[in-house]
Amino acid sequence: MPKIKHRSSGARFIDIKARSSSVSANDKLTVVSLFSGCGGLDIGLEMAGFETLACVETDAHCRETLRYNRPQWKLMEKDKAVADNGEIISRVPGDIRAVDAKEVLEATGLKPGECTLVVGGAPCQPFSNIGKKLGKEDERNGDLFLEFVRFVKGINPKAFIFENVTGITQGRHNDVIEYMLKHLSGLGYGISYAILNAAHYGVPQKRERFFMIGIKGTDAPAFPLPTHFRPDFRFWLQFLSDNNLPETLPMPETWQSVAKTFAALPDNIRDRQDYVVMNISPKVVERMKLVKPGQNFKVLPESMLPPCWRNGKHQGQDTFGRMLPDEPSVTIRTAAYNPSKGMYIHPFENRGLNSMELAALQSFPVDWVFKNKSKPKLTLVSGGRQIGNAVPPLMAAALGKAIIAQLDKKVGAAKKGKK
């Protein structure tokens, strides 16, 4: 039987489909968002019933996207601040190192302990399996996980969600996770962490990411049970066995496919200002014609290969690959618009993926508009970064529902104790 490896710290699961929230209309579920990007995590939490109050994001293009789509979200982007001694300090707009938790609380009208959720994922490059893998030694971003801890301490929310790439679990970065566990559990949070696959939550993409969740007064917070799964019952049984779950749990829906996702896109997407696609030369199109779904550059005759692919030193296993139409896509990275960067050839057409297809594979709502600072039309680079760095909204929605279910349980227990 195929083995499904679920990497976690003894993670538990909660069936979000079998639960209905008991949170009343008077119980406002508020979010302070850190490293917000273009809003993927926040959109998903909004789907679950949360309301984002403030965002801290340094990328000006991302802030423009947030501003356009959700003008009510407060962007912490002032370029000056007042120090404790009254001195005016200049700062980079949205730089989390220069923003104080007290400033965010004042902007949102919240007091410490009133916020429901603090969320965010520090830039993942230091911990990625692609690149230099410097971790916390990265001079630019390797210490930003410390800022997340600082904000949780200052805001004191009821719960938090921290997201990152799977590389953060590698041995060389163990002290990062240990630091977060030590300092956040000391604040009264029960903490769990696991690597989750976005395809398990209705996202048409096999994207694995590390999540750490903490809830005040809960020993071991649970993650959402998959709502979608590989269409083979053996894999589901193996998943249940690996995670000590009862075999009586019904198999979820089949995961979402690339073909079905693309077919659902509106016909007028080319009319949008955020529609952009890479220009492909006739020479590259001729190469694409020889690549079938699931294949890559290795099937091309040597005479058609550029020197960098011909010398045998190139190790990419999905470079210039054509997507499988009947499965979720591979991970959508920041340059997924470029077919030479992975399995990013359109499943049926001889071209790369356009920005609307990339956004759909990340499960962004079709009405979410991606903006570019100071330009009316989105650029490939900006769009690729915004979309590729985002947390898939449907994945975030599942996490949000799991958090609410466990907060409900605490609220219910408290009310019962008062009777």
Side-chain angles (χ1 to χ4, degrees):
M1 182 178 291
K3 182 161 180 65
I4 301 293
K5 186 177 181 183
H6 183 79
R7 292 162 283 175
S8 68
S9 62
R12 298 188 304 114
F13 289 89
I14 187 169
D15 188 353
I16 56 175
K17 282 191 170 184
R19 293 173 179 269
S20 59
S21 174
S22 63
V23 176
S24 72
N26 296 324
D27 294 324
K28 195 174 182 181
L29 300 170
T30 54
V31 176
V32 167
S33 174
L34 312 176
F35 314 104
S36 305
C38 67
L41 185 52
D42 301 290
I43 303 169
L45 293 172
E46 185 179 78
M47 295 173 180
F50 287 88
E51 178 184 353
T52 295
L53 298 184
C55 298
V56 182
E57 171 54 50
T58 188
D59 186 283
H61 303 304
C62 288
R63 293 202 308 274
E64 207 61 32
T65 295
L66 297 173
R67 190 188 337 274
Y68 180 86
N69 291 278
R70 294 293 184 271
Q72 70 273 25
W73 294 356
K74 292 180 173 63
L75 301 179
M76 309 305 297
E77 58 179 349
K78 292 181 179 178
D79 61 0
K80 291 181 173 57
V82 181
D84 292 338
N85 61 4
E87 181 183 355
I88 303 297
I89 304 172
S90 296
R91 61 184 180 182
V92 176
D95 182 1
I96 195 168
R97 294 186 181 95
V99 179
D100 192 74
K102 185 187 299 184
E103 180 183 352
V104 174
L105 289 171
E106 290 175 354
T108 57
L110 295 173
K111 297 177 181 177
E114 290 183 345
C115 182
T116 310
L117 197 55
V118 166
V119 302
C124 63
Q125 289 83 357
F127 307 107
S128 176
N129 290 321
I130 300 174
K132 296 181 180 180
K133 309 175 186 177
L134 295 176
K136 64 184 178 60
E137 304 303 326
D138 185 278
E139 293 181 359
R140 294 181 305 135
N141 296 325
D143 63 348
L144 288 178
F145 69 94
L146 299 174
E147 304 301 324
F148 184 89
V149 174
R150 176 172 67 87
F151 266 82
V152 172
K153 286 182 177 180
I155 294 174
N156 192 26
K158 296 175 178 64
F160 68 81
I161 300 174
F162 177 79
E163 177 266 349
N164 218 286
V165 292
T166 61
I168 199 172
T169 63
Q170 294 176 348
R172 66 172 71 90
H173 308 313
N174 276 348
D175 53 344
V176 173
I177 295 177
E178 289 173 1
Y179 178 93
M180 295 185 72
L181 291 173
K182 176 182 177 181
H183 287 267
L184 294 173
S185 61
L187 300 175
Y189 295 97
I191 299 175
S192 299
Y193 63 88
I195 292 176
L196 305 179
N197 191 330
H200 289 171
Y201 303 100
V203 180
Q205 178 189 171
K206 300 171 187 173
R207 183 189 191 92
E208 287 193 332
R209 283 296 183 270
F210 169 90
F211 286 94
M212 177 183 289
I213 58 176
I215 301 177
K216 281 280 184 75
T218 300
D219 291 336
F223 289 92
L225 190 71
T227 58
H228 295 70
F229 216 78
R230 186 170 184 163
D232 188 327
F233 193 63
R234 296 174 302 166
F235 285 86
W236 178 241
L237 287 178
Q238 187 66 59
F239 176 86
L240 297 177
S241 174
D242 288 347
N243 293 285
N244 299 314
L245 293 167
E247 291 188 1
T248 53
L249 284 174
M251 186 171 175
E253 298 176 43
T254 298
W255 57 28
Q256 295 293 311
S257 71
V258 171
K260 184 177 179 181
T261 301
F262 287 177
L265 285 170
D267 295 332
N268 64 347
I269 57 172
R270 289 176 177 80
D271 299 332
R272 295 173 52 141
Q273 290 287 73
D274 57 351
Y275 172 89
V276 60
V277 65
M278 187 174 184
N279 291 324
I280 302 295
S281 70
K283 184 177 181 179
V284 175
V285 169
E286 289 305 308
R287 291 181 188 145
M288 288 182 175
K289 290 178 180 179
L290 301 181
V291 181
K292 297 178 181 178
Q295 295 181 339
N296 58 30
F297 78 100
K298 294 182 180 180
V299 303
L300 298 174
E302 188 172 347
S303 60
M304 296 185 74
L305 296 175
C308 58
W309 294 353
R310 192 183 306 164
N311 60 21
K313 294 182 180 180
H314 183 76
Q315 299 299 314
Q317 294 302 308
D318 61 355
T319 298
F320 204 68
R322 190 181 293 276
M323 284 186 163
L324 292 165
D326 298 326
E327 293 188 6
S329 76
V330 295
T331 299
I332 297 302
R333 300 194 289 266
T334 56
Y337 53 82
N338 186 344
S340 69
K341 297 297 184 180
M343 190 174 282
Y344 299 135
I345 302 176
H346 191 279
F348 307 120
E349 301 176 23
N350 295 314
R351 61 174 177 82
L353 303 176
N354 62 56
S355 53
M356 297 296 92
E357 290 165 340
L358 295 173
L361 293 176
Q362 279 277 59
S363 75
F364 275 93
V366 73
D367 61 352
W368 191 261
V369 179
F370 300 91
K371 303 296 286 185
N372 199 74
K373 179 71 174 176
S374 303
K375 291 184 179 180
K377 189 169 177 61
L378 189 70
T379 65
L380 269 174
V381 173
S382 176
R385 285 178 180 169
Q386 290 188 53
I387 296 168
N389 282 331
V391 175
L394 286 182
M395 190 179 200
L399 282 162
K401 290 174 183 176
I403 295 287
I404 290 174
Q406 292 167 91
L407 289 175
D408 281 351
K409 187 175 180 181
K410 285 178 56 186
V411 171
K415 289 180 178 178
K416 186 177 180 180
K418 289 181 180 180
K419 291 183 179 178

